[in-house]
Amino acid sequence: MTCDLHPGSSFLHQLDPRLKIVIVAIWSFLAALIQTLPAASFALAGSLLFALAGRLSPRETLTRLVKVNAFLLVIWFLIPFSFSMPGRTVGSFGFFTVTAEGLQLALLLTLKANAVALGALAFFGTSSVTQLAAAAHRLGASEKITAIFLLMLRYFHVIRQEYVRLRLAMKVRAFRPTFSLHTYRSYANLVGMLMVRSMDRAGRVHAAMLCRGYTGRFWFYDHFSFTRLDLAGVALAILLVAGVLVLNVI
Amino acid sequence: MSSKVLIEVADLNFAYPDRPKVLNNFNLTWRAEERIGLAGPNGVGKSTLLFLIMGLLKAQSGVIEIFGKQRREEKDFQAIRPQMGFVFQDANDQLFCPTVADDLAFGPLNLGLGHDEIHRIVERVLARLGLMGFEHRVTYDLSGGEKKLVAIGSALSLNPRLLILDEPTANLDPVTVARLEGVLAESGLPYLVVSHDHEFLDRVTTRRLEIRPNLS
Ligand SMILES: Nc1ncnc2c1ncn2[C@@H]1O[C@H](COP(=O)(O)OP(=O)(O)OP(=O)(O)O)[C@@H](O)[C@H]1O
Ligand SMILES: [Mg+2]
C-alpha cells in the first residue's frame, strides 16, 4: 500500500487538495442523480478526461476499476431479469424474461459507478494522503477523525508486518494449520499477541509524541493556496457539470 | 568552578507495579559539556531511566532536576521535553507520520512555527543526515538504518539543547554507524547515549556510566 498512488506533477497533481475534495463531492453527487444514458456516458467521458489530466497509470487504474465492476456483476445478474414493470421483452431463458428497461438500467448504473470511481481515482490518487487529510481538516473534518485516519494508515502497515512476522515465526517452528484445538489456540494466541503489541505500541507512540511537544492538538504541515491553475480546474469542472446537467434533461 | 549542570538525578527509586525495584537510589550528574555513554546488562533499567528523565514514567521517590529546576509533574516536563531530543529504541514508535517530511515537521508544528520556517528546518535536517530527496518517502518503506536516521532527525528538528538516544546503533551496519557518529559530532550538542557497543561508546562519549543490576 502506497500513499501516492500516482506520483507526478500533472495538472491534477497541482490542484489545491481542498478544491479536489469539493469537486469529487459534487461530481459524485451529480453522478448519483443522472437518469439518462447520454448524460451517464458524458459523465464517464468527463471522468476519463480527469484521469488523462492526472496522467494516471492505465494499468493500475484498470485493476482498480475491475474491482469496482466485479461488484456490478451482481447487478447484471439481477436487474435485467427482475424488472417488475411491464417492459419490452428482449429474450427469455425458461422461466426468466429479460426486459429492455432492465438492461438499460443495469447499463446506466454501470456507467454511473465507473464515472464516480474513475473521477475519485483521478483526483484522490494525485494527492498524498497527508495533503488530503489536511485539506479535509481545513474543510471542517474534525481534528480527531483526521488524526485517527492518518495514524491508522501508518500503523495498519506496521501491524500487518508484525502479523506476517509472527506467522513466519510460527511456520519456522513447524506450525501447520489443521482442524485441531492446537490450531485454534495458536491462532487465538496470534490475534491476542497482535492486540497486546498494538496497545503497547500505542502507548510508546503517544510517549514519542509527547517528547516532541504534543499537547493534544494535531497540526498539519501543509499550506494551500488557490492559484490560477485552480481556476482552470474550476472552469473545467463547471463545464463538465453543465454538460451532464443538460444531457440529463434532454 | 564546575560548569553548568544539565540534569541532576538524586536518590531515584523506581519499580514497575508489582515488580522488584529497577532503580535503587540512583544518582547522576550530567554537566553541560559532557557526552555520556550509558551501559549495563539487558533489563537493568537503562530505558526505564531515560523514560523517567523524560517524565514519561513517575518515580516512587527521588529528585529529577533539569536545566536547573526540579521537575515533578507532567506540566513541568511538557515545557522542557522539546528541548531534550529523545530518540526511542524502536524507530517505528517514533516515526508515525506517513512521510518523512511530515514526521520531521511534527515537532516544529507543535512548537507553533510558521510554514516557511518549518520547510527550512526540514531541508536543513535532511541535509545534515545526508538524506536529501527523502522528503516524500513513505516512512514505513524506509530501511532500518534510514528509519533510525530519520528518527534522530525528528529529534534534531526540535532544535534541542541536548540529545538522549536509546541504543541508536542496534541493527546498523558499520557505514551507517559512522554516519550516525558524524551526525552526533556535527550536532555540537551534549548527549547521553545507551549502547552495548563499547567501542562505539569509546569513540563518541567523554564519560562512561555503568548501571549495575540492583541486588537488593
Ligand atoms: N512496562 C513494563 N512493565 C513491567 N516491567 C517492565 C516494563 N518495562 C520494562 N520492565 C522491566 O523492567 C526492567 C528494566 O527494563 P528496561 O527496558 O529499562 O531495561 P534495559 O536496561 O533498557 O534493557 P535492554 O538493554 O534490554 O534494552 C526489566 O526487568 C523489564 O523486564
Ligand atoms: Mg532498553
Side-chain angles (χ1 to χ4, degrees), chain A residues 14-37:
Chain A
Q14 292 171 50
L15 283 192
D16 188 327
R18 289 172 303 179
L19 178 64
K20 290 184 180 184
I21 292 178
V22 172
I23 291 184
V24 169
I26 293 176
W27 192 243
S28 306
F29 183 70
L30 192 69
L33 291 182
I34 289 176
Q35 298 289 346
T36 70
L37 281 178

Side-chain angles (χ1 to χ4, degrees), chain A residues 34-90:
Chain A
I34 289 176
Q35 298 289 346
T36 70
L37 281 178
S41 314
F42 184 80
L44 184 57
S47 287
L48 199 63
L49 189 69
F50 289 138
L52 288 176
R55 303 238 182 85
L56 298 199
S57 118
R59 164 100 72 67
E60 273 173 53
T61 310
L62 271 181
T63 332
R64 278 164 221 276
L65 282 184
V66 164
K67 283 179 198 156
V68 171
N69 284 288
F71 278 107
L72 290 170
L73 224 55
V74 181
I75 288 176
W76 280 97
F77 273 113
L78 292 179
I79 291 190
F81 299 102
S82 60
F83 216 66
S84 58
M85 287 202 300
R88 277 174 296 129
T89 309
V90 177

Side-chain angles (χ1 to χ4, degrees), chain A residues 130 154-155 201 204 212, chain B residues 92-95 102-103:
Chain A
T130 326
R154 172 69 179 90
Y155 284 100
R201 187 176 292 282
R204 290 196 305 271
R212 291 201 265 154
Chain B
N92 265 326
D93 294 337
Q94 192 151 4
L95 306 180
D102 294 326
D103 224 289

Side-chain angles (χ1 to χ4, degrees), chain B residues 46-48 89 166-167 194:
Chain B
K46 302 180 297 294
S47 300
T48 304
Q89 202 161 346
D166 198 349
E167 297 196 30
V194 172

